[in-house]
């Protein structure tokens, strides 16, 4: 039996060698067929690939092949470590950015006069008052008390949604207490008085936005924010713990007392950088997250490429010269890919009107980048069936240009929340040129119950376009600039140009910069049914001159 096996192997080897010597794939297939081995499982001696010529002797890779293959494998892992987990570094950059202007963990940053274009912040707006903070849960649960009439959310260190607060949250805009619990917390939790949410990470960020009073006055809103906003540690056995729990020996009993004062910082007018980097510091920041958070905080499939490039919890990150070169090259390609997906995405499902350039990919992907946003019908909510797969290009594009993700950002509920569409190309399919003049027309009856606005963003930073205007926006609010005025037919025309066009009102013009690319975003606050049904539609952005 052994002799027969050896004869078969020898015959196969001789047949393959003969086929390779003649250079005939057909001979190779015949040789494989004659020995009972399917041609589909045989690797030729030479394979031409995108990483060069790969050589195998009877299936055994040469030394040169091993070097090419493993360099490529490390490149792929490094590429994925950027593309699939950019959102985590984005959160970390937010924490670092607000800390650099004085707002430490568990403190609060308030933009009393709106956020302006000096702040590098992914597609933030200049319409609402931002309230931002970072949480450190390493010492136990933290409480966030939010004021009435805000839109807010909590995100963990990997940019996973934790809970909505304010109008989209359980307090429904009446204000409320939110208890954010760290992973593996085994202490007691209150039975009432708090909206409880569990974070998978020890650090988190939270955002809230408040609307101006009557669209033109921030002062009373700021006063309300500072009166009702609180961030402080949870006291076990305090508010929310029934005395019966104490009498049963299940909980301590803490006295009810006012929480410690919350520290507020002013954000308006301050220059801060909250953008994720695309140089070597990206990997350093990624390592900082991995070391600071539980190893199980991120899906193992996503953590795999990070570990494969040498970033492992509890171990030093010390790549050698070869690995540093590969990581740097992969970072360049991954950043280029993410930027391309965001600036000029090829998936037409991301484009809201199908045949135009206005886009919002969340309608196709939902906030988890898996299943489209449910339809809202007269009979109620009509969800789509789960697709069963993650739309990775959409996730990559989204987090390259946007801060934050919640179900509230991806819903078709009229009169609630806010919705956005943005355009990267003009009506002729060209990128926007800051030296040219463009216009966009909004048909009458703009479907926004509260207000609407346009904001211009810098294509490089994906942050507000920095011009002498300071606030690169126009809209129906009269602060900080006069409101846009409608045309005689009820429609509203907005211009994007380096200088104010003749005959155009100040409230209908946003300044651009020659030599600088930009893109416009239309926001509808409390959008109405005509937007969701697409009965109402903005024009494409047209080049005037």
């Amino acid at each position: 039996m052994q002799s027969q096996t050896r004869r078969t192997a020898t015959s196969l080897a001789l047949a393959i060698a003969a086929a390779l010597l003649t250079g005939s794939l057909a001979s190779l297939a015949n040789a494989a067929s004659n020995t009972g081995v399917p041609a589909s499982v045989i690797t030729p001696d030479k394979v031409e690939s995108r990483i060069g010529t790969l050589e195998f002797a009877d299936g055994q890779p040469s030394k040169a092949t091993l070097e090419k293959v493993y360099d490529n494998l490390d490149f792929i892992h490094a590429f994925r470590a950027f593309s699939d987990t950019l959102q985590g570094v984005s959160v970390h950059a937010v924490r670092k950015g607000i800390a650099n202007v004085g707002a430490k963990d568990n403190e609060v940053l308030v933009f009393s006069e709106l956020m302006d274009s000096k702040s590098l912040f992914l597609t933030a707006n200049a319409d609402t008052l931002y309230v931002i903070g970072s949480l450190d849960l390493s010492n136990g649960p933290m409480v966030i008390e939010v004021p009435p009439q805000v839109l807010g959310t909590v995100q963990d260190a990997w940019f996973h949604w934790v809970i909505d607060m304010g109008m989209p949250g359980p307090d429904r805009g009446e204000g409320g207490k939110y208890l954010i619990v760290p992973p593996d917390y085994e202490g007691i939790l209150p039975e009432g008085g708090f909206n409880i949410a569990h974070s998978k990470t020890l650090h988190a960020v939270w955002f809230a936005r408040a609307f101006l009073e009557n669209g033109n006055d921030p002062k009373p809103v700021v006063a309300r924010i500072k009166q009702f906003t609180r961030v402080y540690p949870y006291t076990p056995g305090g508010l929310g713990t029934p005395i019966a729990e104490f009498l049963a020996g299940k909980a301590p009993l803490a006295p009810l007392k006012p929480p410690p004062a919350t520290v507020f910082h002013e954000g308006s007018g301050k220059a801060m950088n909250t953008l994720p980097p695309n140089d070597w510091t990206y990997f350093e920041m990624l390592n900082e997250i991995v070391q600071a958070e539980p190893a199980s905080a991120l899906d193992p499939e996503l953590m795999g490429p990070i570990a494969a490039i040498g970033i492992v919890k509890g171990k030093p990150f010390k790549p050698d010269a070869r690995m540093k070169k590969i990581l740097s090259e992969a970072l360049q390609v991954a950043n280029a890919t993410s930027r391309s997906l965001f600036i000029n995405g090829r998936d037409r499902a991301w484009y809201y009107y199908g045949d135009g350039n206005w886009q919002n990919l969340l309608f196709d992907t939902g906030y988890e980048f898996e299943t489209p946003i449910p339809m809202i019908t007269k009979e109620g909510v009509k969800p789509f069936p789960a697709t069963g797969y993650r739309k990775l290009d959409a996730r990559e594009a989204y987090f390259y240009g946007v801060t934050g993700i919640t179900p509230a950002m991806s819903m078709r509920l009229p009169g609630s929340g806010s919705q956005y569409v943005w355009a990267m190309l003009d009506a002729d399919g060209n990128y926007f040129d800051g030296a040219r003049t463009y216009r966009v027309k909004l048909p009458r009856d703009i479907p926004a119950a509260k207000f609407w606005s346009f904001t211009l963003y810098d294509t490089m930073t994906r942050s507000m376009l920095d011009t002498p205007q300071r606030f690169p926006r126009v809209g129906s609010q009269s602060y900080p600039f006069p409101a846009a005025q409608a045309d005689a037919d009820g429609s509203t025309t907005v211009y994007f140009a380096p200088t104010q066009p003749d005959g155009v009102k100040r409230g209908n013009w946003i300044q651009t910069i020659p030599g600088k690319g930009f893109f416009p975003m239309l926001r509808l606050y409390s959008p109405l049914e005509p937007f969701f049904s697409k009965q109402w539609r903005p024009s494409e952005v047209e080049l005037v001159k």
Side-chain angles (χ1 to χ4, degrees):
M1 181 67 179
Q2 291 179 350
S3 176
Q4 181 180 352
T5 301
R6 282 196 297 269
R7 285 197 299 272
T8 300
T10 301
S11 299
L12 174 60
L14 290 173
I16 292 175
L20 292 173
L21 286 172
T22 62
S24 169
L25 290 178
S27 297
L28 176 61
N30 290 333
S33 177
N34 291 336
T35 57
V37 178
S40 60
V41 305
I42 293 176
T43 300
D45 272 12
K46 285 189 177 182
V47 176
E48 299 299 333
S49 75
R50 65 190 304 163
I51 62 173
T53 301
L54 306 178
E55 297 180 332
F56 299 88
D58 196 18
Q60 301 169 104
S62 66
K63 182 178 179 181
T65 294
L66 288 172
E67 291 176 354
K68 292 175 184 177
V69 167
Y70 285 134
D71 282 355
N72 185 61
L73 183 60
D74 289 335
F75 181 93
I76 291 171
H77 289 320
F79 181 95
R80 289 193 58 196
F82 183 98
S83 300
D84 290 350
T85 59
L86 172 66
Q87 55 269 35
V89 176
S90 185
V91 170
H92 201 56
V94 170
R95 292 185 61 227
K96 282 180 171 288
I98 64 176
N100 286 339
V101 296
K104 302 175 184 177
D105 287 337
N106 306 329
E107 297 179 348
V108 180
L109 189 65
V110 181
F111 292 80
S112 300
E113 296 178 357
L114 306 179
M115 189 183 295
D116 64 24
S117 57
K118 296 301 180 184
S119 294
L120 295 178
F121 212 107
L122 293 176
T123 51
N125 70 66
D127 304 315
T128 61
L129 292 167
Y130 277 100
V131 188
I132 302 173
S134 59
L135 297 177
D136 181 354
L137 305 172
S138 58
N139 293 320
M142 293 293 298
V143 178
I144 305 173
E145 294 188 16
V146 298
Q149 298 303 304
V150 298
L151 291 162
T153 186
V154 180
Q155 318 265 218
D156 77 9
W158 290 109
F159 240 138
H160 295 135
W161 173 70
V162 178
I163 193 172
D164 284 330
M165 305 182 295
M167 285 182 272
D171 73 86
R172 301 292 291 277
E174 296 298 314
K177 296 180 174 66
Y178 290 80
L179 183 61
I180 312 303
V181 183
D184 302 323
Y185 178 73
E186 296 180 353
I188 66 163
L189 294 174
E191 292 189 5
F194 296 89
N195 299 296
I196 300 175
H198 294 261
S199 172
K200 293 182 179 179
T201 61
L202 294 173
H203 299 88
V205 295
W206 65 275
F207 311 87
R209 294 170 293 155
F211 300 130
L212 303 180
E213 290 282 340
N214 302 315
N216 61 12
D217 192 357
K219 292 184 177 62
V221 185
V222 174
R224 185 170 70 241
I225 288 170
K226 292 186 175 181
Q227 178 183 356
F228 291 105
T229 303
R230 297 285 182 271
V231 179
Y232 54 89
Y234 167 67
T235 302
L239 181 68
T241 301
I243 293 179
E245 291 290 291
F246 167 71
L247 296 176
K250 298 179 180 180
L253 194 63
L256 299 183
K257 58 182 180 181
T262 297
V263 177
F264 290 92
H265 298 270
E266 180 55 57
S268 292
K270 291 186 178 180
M272 68 189 73
N273 177 19
T274 70
L275 304 186
N278 54 27
D279 61 9
W280 179 257
T281 58
Y282 175 88
F283 291 113
E284 294 175 343
M285 290 178 68
L286 183 60
N287 183 54
E288 289 174 3
I289 304 168
V290 171
Q291 301 306 327
E293 301 301 339
S296 59
L298 191 64
D299 186 285
E301 290 290 334
L302 294 177
M303 193 64 82
I306 299 174
I309 63 173
I311 297 178
V312 179
K313 187 172 179 64
K315 296 183 179 180
F317 175 49
K318 295 182 178 180
D320 58 20
R322 167 192 163 275
M323 195 63 179
K324 276 189 175 181
K325 180 176 183 295
I326 291 172
L327 291 175
S328 298
E329 292 173 348
L331 189 72
Q332 292 175 345
V333 176
N335 176 69
T337 303
S338 298
R339 176 172 287 278
S340 297
L341 286 168
F342 180 68
I343 297 293
N344 203 335
R346 64 184 179 180
D347 190 338
R348 291 309 302 178
W350 300 358
Y351 293 82
Y352 191 59
Y353 299 101
D355 59 345
N357 291 315
W358 295 108
Q359 61 178 294
N360 184 334
L361 50 83
L362 292 184
F363 284 92
D364 177 61
T365 70
Y367 80 100
E368 291 186 312
F369 306 98
E370 189 266 340
T371 300
I373 298 174
M375 300 296 291
I376 306 297
T377 68
K378 294 180 179 179
E379 292 73 32
V381 178
K382 182 182 179 181
F384 288 92
T387 63
Y389 59 87
R390 195 81 64 202
K391 298 179 180 179
L392 299 179
D393 288 354
R395 182 178 66 186
E396 186 174 347
Y398 181 88
F399 282 114
Y400 195 79
V402 182
T403 302
I405 185 69
T406 88
M409 297 176 73
S410 56
M411 58 184 181
R412 305 179 203 261
L413 191 60
S416 181
S418 54
Q419 287 295 343
Y420 327 128
V421 288
W422 59 91
M424 298 295 186
L425 305 172
D426 67 14
D428 298 319
N430 299 314
Y431 294 129
F432 295 105
D433 181 348
R436 311 294 292 273
T437 297
Y438 300 86
R439 69 183 171 206
V440 57
K441 185 178 289 289
L442 303 180
R444 64 183 305 153
D445 300 324
I446 299 171
K450 288 191 178 293
F451 62 95
W452 63 270
S453 75
F454 266 113
T455 307
L456 294 190
Y457 295 97
D458 184 323
T459 52
M460 181 61 70
T461 66
R462 296 90 74 204
S463 304
M464 283 187 276
L465 189 65
D466 190 7
T467 72
Q469 283 185 331
R470 184 183 175 193
F471 302 100
R473 49 83 60 203
V474 300
S476 57
Q477 293 189 143
S478 56
Y479 181 91
F481 302 129
Q485 296 186 27
D487 301 327
D489 63 357
S491 65
T492 302
T493 306
V494 173
Y495 288 81
F496 313 134
T499 58
Q500 187 171 344
D502 293 341
V504 174
K505 300 292 185 181
R506 171 62 189 82
N508 295 66
W509 165 64
I510 307 178
Q511 188 173 19
T512 59
I513 306 173
K516 168 56 64 180
F518 68 89
F519 63 92
M521 182 178 289
L522 171 64
R523 285 181 167 88
L524 303 175
Y525 291 88
S526 295
L528 301 175
E529 177 58 29
F531 171 74
F532 296 109
S533 65
K534 301 182 184 178
Q535 294 173 318
W536 182 92
R537 173 179 176 174
S539 75
E540 295 297 298
V541 184
E542 300 174 339
L543 176 64
V544 176
K545 63 177 182 178

